[in-house]
Amino acid sequence: MITNTVGHRGRNGVNDTMIIQRLLNRVRIPGTQQLVADGSLGVRTIFKIQAFQRSIGLERADGLIQPRSKTMTELMTRAAAGGTLPPLLALTNPVPGAVHATALGIE
C-alpha cells in the first residue's frame, strides 16, 4: 500500500511511485504501454493512471491516486487478479488494506 499520493499534483515519493508503476504494469489497459518502474513520475505514468481511472468508471480521471481511494483499491484488486478481472466483478467497496502490495510481490 502506498503511504502518500501519487500522480498529478501528488507527493510522488520514489517508493510509492514505483509501487504504482509496478501495479499499473500488471493491469492490461488498452492504448497504454508498460512503464519503467523507476519511481520517477512522468507523463506516461500520469497518462496510465488516468486511463486506469477511466477504465474503472470514474467520472473524473484526475491522474492522482490516494491511499485507500477507489483507484488504489481497484488497482490492487485487478493487479492481484493479473489484470483479467472483468469490470463488473471488480470490488467496489472492499475492506481497506485487504490486498497489500507485499502480497503481490511488491515491496
Side-chain angles (χ1 to χ4, degrees), residues 6-91:
V6 174
H8 180 66
R9 297 187 179 175
R11 305 261 346 238
N12 303 315
V14 173
N15 290 334
D16 286 340
T17 302
M18 194 177 304
I19 288 170
I20 294 301
Q21 290 168 329
R22 288 178 179 173
L23 290 171
L24 286 167
N25 282 340
R26 289 179 177 228
V27 179
R28 291 183 202 100
I29 305 169
T32 65
Q33 300 175 1
Q34 289 289 99
L35 300 170
V36 175
D38 59 3
S40 177
L41 185 78
V43 293
R44 287 185 179 176
T45 302
I46 294 172
F47 176 80
K48 198 158 184 177
I49 291 170
Q50 290 172 324
F52 179 75
Q53 288 174 323
R54 285 189 294 274
S55 79
I56 62 171
L58 291 184
E59 291 181 26
R60 186 169 170 253
D62 60 6
L64 181 69
I65 299 179
Q66 299 177 21
R68 295 187 176 90
S69 65
K70 178 178 180 178
T71 301
M72 186 70 215
T73 303
E74 289 284 347
L75 181 57
M76 291 180 76
T77 300
R78 291 176 188 220
T84 59
L85 190 62
L88 294 177
L89 297 180
L91 296 175

